[in-house]
Structures are given as structure tokens and as C-alpha cells.
Amino acid sequence: MSLISWGMYPIIKNKIFSLRDAVGLAKYIENTDEFIPYGNGRSYGDSALNENILYTKTYNYFLDFDEQNGILTCQAGVLLSEILDAFVKRGWFLKVTPGTKLITVGGAIASDVHGKNHHTQGCFSECVEEFTIMLANAEIKSCKKGDELFHATCGGMGLTGVILSAKISLKKINSAFINQTTIKTKNLKETFEAFENYKDIPYSVAWIDCLAKNEEIGKCLLMVGDFANDGNLEYKSKKKLSIPFNFPSFALNSLSVKAFNWLYYAKAKDGVSKQRAGIDTFFYPLDAIENWNRIYGSGGFTQYQFILPKEHSFEGLKEILTKISDSGKGSFLAVLKLYSKENENYLSFPMEGYSLALDFKIEAGLFELLNTLDEVVVKYGGRIYLTKDVRVSKETFEKGYPQCDKFREFRREHKMDRKFSSLQSKRVKI
Amino acid sequence: MSYVLIIGAKSDIAKEVARVYAKNGYNLYLAARDSSSLEDLKHDIEIRSGADVELKEFDITSYDTHEGFYRSLKKRPIGVIVVSGYMAEQTAAQKEWIETLNTINVNYTGALSILNIVANDFEKERRGFIVGVSSVAGDRGRKANYIYGSAKAGFSAYLSGLRNRLYESGVTVLTVKPGFVNTKMTENLELPQKLTASPSEVAEDIFNAQQKGRNVLYTKSIWMLIMLIIKHIPEFMFKKMSI
Ligand SMILES: Cc1cc2nc3c(=O)[nH]c(=O)nc-3n(C[C@H](O)[C@H](O)[C@H](O)COP(=O)(O)OP(=O)(O)OC[C@H]3O[C@@H](n4cnc5c(N)ncnc54)[C@H](O)[C@@H]3O)c2cc1C
């Protein structure tokens, strides 16, 4: 059996070893030339792919819970969804969660993921009190914020070792419901103004219509919200819909994307409206459809996510949205988010500014288009999110991540570069 | 709160079944050989769900201990789930009798030994549920694994008869036939992804089917169709095939 990532591209043969205990892992490390840890395969590109894969989801015990302070210790293969299943009803939620709950704690640390609240809470590493990791010499180390190993590993894409367990602090909630406000804007300028107006509300995200043209470019639905204080804490994952097979490739031409965007946008009321949403609807709308990645057909897809420093976000986004709109290669989803200051981690993605994420079906001409978008990103001092990436060049990567040489040096010094590698790490030479 | 007894609690499927039942409000008896190795799982489940989890030493092939074991449970379980299984490598089982014997004893004889006791008790009480994890391999003997398959076939036939007998008393019996499952047992096999379930999918399927009082569960469900076809291939053709 071969493992693939969320984008279903590339597909390569791999040998899998399942993580069950530290002793077995130590032997595996000793006997395996090079490999990459794999969580739940929700990264889109080739971050978790190599010929040898360490499958970590089998390592998933909860180890301790400090009810007083809401601190959970668990093994790295635990899914965020399992944490919610256990703790929402007891009044706890994740401090930081990405747009899917189907990722492992190890994957959350390795990509230093962020959620709709980056502008108020920062990345996942902010809630990691401590973690343990097995290094290239099979030694187990425990580390905290301030340790170099911590800052190299959070965002380090599995390239510093195998995260074994983590102590993460949860957030107290009084309700499993979110009071949401939706703001419909008509263009990019309005979108930016709306983000600024609502920036004190902890959760925000905007869905952009990327096929809009001219003065309509950047029109969006901005959804902001926070946990309610009333309502109950009942939480049960809904039965998922599932897409049982890959859609034929004609199913997602730009016409159907247009229709989709239009329906979504048109459905929302003009101006500002209020809703009440459950956790799954607000945080994880895409998880409702299992395997939604199959709608792009068997050739796979990728997500292009970049971030631009705040001072250049407006003109940069305008330039990029125009290029995308001109290319006619639409995206099913385009998500715009606001970020606060970057952290000290060597390879974490966020910086103060705005990021946009778009899905593209893999097809002829796509990578050329993305290369031209890269130029704009680089020009404005931005960067590409590694956990979504499958094609970025070494040069573009290096320009976006000024601490990459420190990371390289750290890997060399601890002989990590000879043990942990992915297709991506080979491509960008880290 | 009611207890569910899981026999053969060390397997990957059992571990997930235990979590699913605990998540849904049941307490657990986890029975296995060398049960202290299940401390981590017990702890895990207690943190996740607050369920009470008791570890019970149990050897499915020590038949004469089964009665005493069952009597020793402090509270009668509301349900019993037999997950124990032993899959000897086919060629090893062909050559070494002990492998064959072990396959029969774990998958068939031992399961009957404990379930006879449970069935008598549940029938008397007129309540409870029994779940037996058999296998699609029991639906038709194939050269690749007919020794294991024949033991599972026996187990499936037993469960079917048991269901028939206990119908009157309102006790439900579910036969589970997993196809390919990603477990320790199958780690090094090349399994087709679309036909392979994860242990947690199997566990969810078992829970849902049991709660609905279903009789036979194929998991993934596509296996019902596959086995339907395989069962209907005429023997004169089947004997020449390699599937
Ligand atoms: C629908 C959807 C929405 C998403 N939304 C967001 C979002 O809002 N914000 C965001 O930041 N991301 C988002 N993502 C991306 C996702 O959160 C990350 O890719 C995450 O890292 C995936 O975790 P995983 O467990 O599936 O790991 P994988 O995809 O299997 O691996 C990801 C990386 O983590 C490493 N890794 C995994 N486990 C370990 C371990 N135990 N030790 C060391 N390294 C390890 C791998 O080597 C790899 O480099 C989204 C993805 C999807 C599919």
C-alpha cells in the first residue's frame, strides 16, 4: 500500500512502517537510511512523502489530563478530532485549530499550523507547553519554548525528528456554539476595511471570489465570530457525506467553479448579517464531506497559499488576483486571512500580513502560472506555505524564509539531514 | 452504567472498539492474555471518556477457566464482543500441526467455549448482545488461507445458530465479517486501499450495527458484494483460480 497526501499528487511508491513504541522506532531509525514521518496526510503536497514513510497515527494514546488547567498530554498520532470528542463536552477547546480537525498533533506541530485566530492567538506552537522527540541518533529529547530544538521543530516539517508526545494547553469554553457575523463586501478595498474593523474579534476568515473581474476583484464574504457564553456543550460529530470515487476531470471546469462561487456569495445577505453556528460548521465546513479532494479528479490538485507583509498586502493581492482571474484557472476555494506578528520558529509560515489560499487542479500550464505568482510573492517579500506546497523552487523558498540557513545548519549539526527527508526537503534542499 | 466485555482486547480492532463503546457511555472489561500490557489503553480510555475500565486476565484457549472468569466479573456485562483471532501464515499452518491447532482453538473452539457460557446467562436474563468478529475468509475456502478461513467459517455458522436460538429471548447476535483491515497483522501485505478499512472505521461500523440490532455486518460494506460474487463462482471453475 502506498500513502498519498491530500492533493493526491504526486503518487509514489513507498514502504510504510507504523509507529507503535519507542523501542521499535529506535530500531527503525537505526536500520532505515532516510524517511519522513507521516501524520494523517492532510498536507497537500510532498511534505510527508518519501520512499520510506513512518506512519504515526498508530501512536495515539492520551497520557494525562490536568483538569484544573486544561493541559493534555498525548502521543503525537492523536487526531485533533479525538481531542474535541473527548473535551468539548467538558468545556475545553483547542487554542489553535486549522480548517480541518482531521490532523494529528504531530502534524500540527511540524507545520506549526494556524487557524482563524492567528491575529489574536498565533500558531499552534503557542499552545505547546512541551514535547518529546526522537532524534537521528534515536535519543529522546524533551523540549520547550526557548530551546533551539523547539524552534526548529515547530514548523520544521518532520525534518528534525519524530515527535512522540506533546503537552498542549486547551482553552476554556462555555458553549459549543459560535456567534458569527458575516460581512459581504464588493471589492478588495472593502474587504481589507472589514478585516481591520473586526480585528478584535478572535476568529475571522474570508472567502474570496477569484473569478471576479476588474473593480469587483477581491469581493468576499468575511466571517468573524467568537464562542457564545450560552447554549450547551453538546458535541457529536455528524455522519459525513462521502465522495466515493474521483470525479471525471471535466466536472470541475471553470464554469462549475463560477457557479459554486456565485451560489455561495449570492446566498449571503447584503451587508452585515448574524448567525449562530456549531463548532463543526464554523471551524470545519470542509470536513463535512469526506474525501472532497476527489472532486478534482484522479490527476490531483494543489493548494497555493502565500502570505504578504501587511504593507504590501493590498497591491500584491490585487496583482495576484488579477493574474488568476485572467488565467481563467479558477479555484474552488479562495481563503483570505489576517495574521499577526511572526514567531521565532525557523520555518513557520505566518508573518504580519494577509495570506490567500487557492486550490488548483493539476493540469498543463498550472506550474507556469504558479511560477509567475511566485515572482509577485517574492517581489513583495512574502512566502509560500510549505505544508500546502508541491512545487516551489529552492530560490523562492529561500527568499521567503530568511532563517532557512540556520535550519539547514541545525540539521547538519545533529545529522538530521541524513535521516529525515521528504520529496519537498530534497527539492528545496533543506 | 453498563459494562461491555471485550474478549481479545489487545488487537488493533479491539482497541478501537473499546474506545467507541466508552465514548458512547459504556464501561469496559478488557480481557486478554498478559492484560497488564493494556494499562496504557485503560488510562487512555479513562482520560478520553471517563469510563470505568477493568483489565481482566483471560486466555481463550484455557477453556476450563472460562466459567470462573465469567462468574468473577463484578457486574454482569450487557454485551460481549469477541475479537480474538489468530491468523497463522497459511503455509506454516499446512506444515505445522500446532499452527493449525492454534488457529482452530483461538478462532473457533475458544470463542465457543466462552460464548456458550455467555449465551446461557443472557438467555436466562432475556437481555444482552453478543458480537463475534469472524471474517470474510470464512465465506469460502481459498488456497491462500483456508485453514484460518475454515475456523472462521465454523465460527460464523455458530453465530448464525446462536442468533436463531436467542431470538426468542431478545438477545441479539451480530456476526462481523471484516475484509482487509489495516492492522499489525496485515502491516506488510500489499492491500488495495479502496477495499481496506482502518480499525477505527471497523469499530464504528460494529457499534452502529450492534446498536441497530443487525445480524451480519460486512466492513467495508463493499465486501458483501465481493463475497457474493466469490461464493457464486461454480466449484469447477473456482478450483482452478488463484484469488
Ligand atoms: C481541509 C484542510 C484545511 C486545512 N486548513 C488549514 C489551516 O487553516 N491552517 C493550517 O495551518 N493548515 C491547514 N491545513 C493543513 C494541515 O493542517 C497541515 O498540513 C497539517 O500539518 C496536516 O497534519 P497531518 O497530521 O495530516 O500530517 P501530514 O500531512 O501527514 O504531515 C505534515 C507534516 O508533518 C510532519 N509530521 C507529521 N507527524 C509528525 C511527527 N509525529 N513528528 C514529526 N513530524 C511529523 C510530516 O513529516 C509532514 O512534514 C488544512 C488541510 C486541509 C486538508
Side-chain angles (χ1 to χ4, degrees):
Chain A
M1 198 159 80
S2 281
L3 289 168
I4 55 175
S5 69
W6 192 242
M8 306 194 298
Y9 172 88
I11 294 176
I12 62 158
K13 262 198 103 53
N14 41 53
K15 275 226 290 287
I16 304 160
F17 178 80
S18 300
L19 175 58
R20 291 178 187 280
D21 53 62
V23 179
L25 177 60
K27 268 194 215 124
Y28 177 73
I29 288 188
E30 210 172 293
N31 299 330
T32 312
D33 277 345
E34 49 166 52
F35 69 95
I36 191 74
Y38 182 103
N40 201 30
R42 250 54 183 188
S43 55
Y44 281 67
D46 51 4
S47 318
L49 297 181
N50 205 344
E51 277 140 43
N52 292 314
I53 285 185
L54 176 75
Y55 185 77
T56 59
K57 227 171 55 170
T58 36
Y59 195 66
N60 68 349
Y61 286 130
F62 283 38
L63 302 173
D64 185 56
F65 186 60
D66 170 354
E67 193 93 45
Q68 210 73 49
N69 303 302
I71 295 177
L72 171 71
T73 311
C74 65
Q75 293 178 334
V78 166
L79 295 174
L80 300 187
S81 60
E82 299 176 65
I83 298 179
L84 301 183
D85 281 346
F87 294 114
V88 169
K89 56 178 181 281
R90 291 188 243 171
W92 299 100
F93 190 68
L94 298 156
K95 280 192 172 153
V96 171
T97 175
T100 173
K101 57 180 174 174
L102 301 174
I103 72 162
T104 62
V105 167
I109 296 174
S111 299
D112 201 12
V113 299
H114 58 269
K116 294 179 177 188
N117 60 349
H118 187 274
H119 61 291
T120 58
Q121 258 295 331
C123 288
F124 194 81
S125 53
E126 291 300 320
C127 70
V128 178
E129 307 262 308
E130 197 179 337
F131 63 78
T132 63
I133 178 168
M134 191 178 282
L135 303 176
N137 59 3
E139 190 188 341
I140 299 177
K141 273 251 159 67
S142 155
C143 63
K144 298 189 162 53
K145 215 164 169 180
D147 301 340
E148 187 172 21
L149 184 56
F150 184 96
H151 297 291
T153 301
C154 296
M157 306 311 293
L159 299 169
T160 56
V162 180
I163 300 161
L164 289 176
S165 67
K167 210 175 192 178
I168 61 178
S169 74
L170 304 179
K171 155 200 175 91
K172 194 87 202 135
I173 52 171
N174 297 317
S175 166
F177 293 90
I178 290 95
N179 290 327
Q180 175 181 305
T181 305
T182 303
I183 304 105
K184 188 166 167 174
T185 70
K186 298 205 178 69
N187 55 44
L188 193 60
K189 187 159 163 287
E190 278 190 29
T191 299
F192 270 65
E193 283 164 6
F195 263 111
E196 290 301 321
N197 288 341
Y198 288 93
K199 70 168 185 287
D200 295 333
I201 299 190
Y203 299 105
S204 68
V205 66
W207 292 43
I208 292 247
D209 175 357
C210 328
L211 296 180
K213 296 236 181 237
N214 307 325
E215 61 280 3
E216 288 209 317
I217 278 183
K219 72 176 186 185
C220 85
L221 293 179
L222 171 64
M223 288 151 283
V224 303
D226 195 4
F227 277 97
N229 277 315
D230 57 333
N232 55 39
L233 287 166
E234 234 164 77
Y235 178 70
K236 235 189 175 140
S237 300
K238 292 191 204 87
K239 183 108 185 107
K240 284 173 270 179
L241 295 171
S242 147
I243 294 180
F245 47 80
N246 296 322
F247 275 22
S249 56
F250 59 79
L252 205 84
N253 58 25
S254 82
L255 202 70
S256 55
V257 174
K258 213 175 223 155
F260 181 89
N261 272 338
W262 184 78
L263 276 175
Y264 240 95
Y265 187 79
K267 208 177 71 181
K269 291 203 195 77
D270 275 338
V272 177
S273 58
K274 306 242 177 223
Q275 303 86 29
R276 198 170 163 91
I279 285 176
D280 283 352
T281 316
F282 184 77
F283 289 102
Y284 313 114
L286 287 170
D287 287 346
I289 307 170
E290 210 178 349
N291 301 326
W292 61 260
N293 51 345
R294 291 182 180 170
I295 63 168
Y296 289 93
S298 59
F301 74 114
T302 187
Q303 184 169 90
Y304 187 72
Q305 181 168 8
F306 63 91
I307 187 162
L308 298 175
K310 206 160 187 177
E311 63 272 24
H312 299 306
S313 290
F314 186 80
E315 41 183 340
L317 273 166
K318 193 147 198 166
E319 216 170 308
I320 288 178
L321 284 169
T322 308
K323 279 191 197 294
I324 292 167
S325 162
D326 288 349
S327 78
K329 290 196 196 323
S331 167
F332 171 20
L333 260 185
V335 177
L336 183 68
K337 280 187 200 145
L338 172 65
Y339 295 69
S340 74
K341 299 221 170 346
E342 66 184 23
N343 59 28
E344 291 169 42
N345 304 334
Y346 290 169
L347 298 184
S348 284
F349 168 71
M351 61 167 78
E352 186 159 18
Y354 285 89
S355 106
L356 189 73
L358 313 105
D359 292 357
F360 291 95
K361 183 171 141 48
I362 303 277
E363 59 185 346
L366 173 66
F367 288 179
E368 288 81 351
L369 170 68
L370 298 183
N371 287 339
T372 65
L373 303 186
D374 280 354
E375 287 168 20
V376 184
V377 172
V378 166
K379 179 171 83 184
Y380 290 112
R383 60 174 71 125
I384 305 291
Y385 197 1
L386 290 176
T387 208
K388 309 286 177 76
D389 165 65
V390 72
R391 35 69 52 193
V392 80
S393 71
K394 174 171 172 278
E395 294 68 34
T396 302
F397 162 74
E398 284 173 345
K399 290 196 178 116
Y401 290 86
Q403 305 210 70
C404 69
D405 279 334
K406 271 201 224 163
F407 185 78
R408 285 182 176 130
E409 186 47 45
F410 184 75
R411 293 231 309 146
R412 248 193 315 272
E413 192 187 322
H414 295 93
K415 301 198 166 59
M416 294 160 176
D417 54 339
R418 289 189 228 146
K419 208 36 102 178
F420 312 110
S421 72
S422 60
L423 296 186
Q424 182 176 57
S425 77
K426 289 181 197 165
R427 179 159 41 79
V428 302
K429 303 210 164 44
I430 35 178
Chain B
M1 254 307 153
S2 327
Y3 280 78
V4 169
L5 167 63
I6 299 179
I7 302 277
K10 272 197 292 197
S11 76
D12 287 348
I13 293 179
K15 175 169 143 182
E16 295 302 334
V17 168
R19 283 175 173 163
V20 171
Y21 274 85
K23 183 164 97 183
N24 286 285
Y26 292 89
N27 292 320
L28 301 171
Y29 297 119
L30 301 183
R33 234 169 20 178
D34 182 20
S35 59
S36 63
S37 68
L38 288 171
E39 268 319 323
D40 289 345
L41 179 64
K42 168 181 156 76
H43 198 54
D44 167 82
I45 292 174
E46 285 169 348
I47 298 171
R48 283 175 192 248
S49 57
D52 179 47
V53 182
E54 286 188 28
L55 303 183
K56 294 280 166 191
E57 197 57 31
F58 180 82
D59 182 346
I60 198 156
T61 58
S62 301
Y63 317 119
D64 50 0
T65 63
H66 291 180
E67 183 84 41
F69 162 81
Y70 190 70
R71 299 286 155 233
S72 78
L73 302 178
K74 67 171 190 216
K75 230 182 131 200
R76 166 184 290 113
I78 184 75
V80 175
I81 305 175
V82 177
V83 194
S84 325
Y86 176 72
M87 186 164 20
E89 220 256 300
Q90 172 66 26
T91 45
Q94 281 167 211
K95 285 194 202 115
E96 294 177 44
W97 173 241
I98 184 77
E99 283 292 301
T100 293
L101 200 59
N102 206 13
T103 302
I104 298 168
N105 287 345
V106 174
N107 294 297
Y108 182 70
T109 322
L112 268 58
S113 163
I114 182 70
L115 283 183
N116 274 350
I117 296 163
V118 171
N120 292 342
D121 184 43
F122 282 10
E123 186 177 43
K124 201 169 75 215
E125 289 294 313
R126 303 187 66 81
R127 62 183 211 131
F129 64 84
I130 291 170
V131 177
V133 178
S134 185
S135 169
V136 293
D139 280 9
R140 190 161 194 179
R142 299 177 299 121
K143 67 180 171 192
N145 67 353
Y146 64 88
I147 292 179
Y148 173 76
S150 63
K152 287 298 193 187
F155 187 38
S156 293
Y158 172 84
L159 291 168
S160 158
L162 196 62
R163 177 159 46 245
N164 190 196
R165 164 187 158 198
L166 295 177
Y167 175 73
E168 279 278 280
S169 51
V171 176
T172 60
V173 177
L174 169 67
T175 308
V176 182
K177 297 182 178 178
F180 297 140
V181 188
N182 256 328
T183 64
K184 278 178 267 194
M185 276 202 310
T186 59
E187 197 149 275
N188 299 315
L189 305 179
E190 282 283 325
L191 300 179
Q193 228 148 353
K194 295 214 164 90
L195 303 180
T196 307
S198 70
S200 58
E201 278 173 77
V202 171
E204 289 283 350
D205 282 356
I206 290 177
F207 179 77
N208 291 329
Q210 179 272 312
Q211 294 284 309
K212 284 190 199 130
R214 286 185 45 196
N215 304 318
V216 179
L217 166 73
Y218 282 87
T219 165
K220 301 189 157 197
S221 54
I222 178 81
W223 283 95
M224 187 165 91
L225 202 66
I226 297 173
M227 295 321 294
L228 191 73
I229 295 166
I230 291 182
K231 277 190 289 193
H232 284 85
I233 301 171
E235 194 64 26
F236 75 88
M237 281 167 71
F238 193 78
K239 72 177 180 192
K240 298 177 199 154
M241 293 168 70
S242 275
I243 54 172

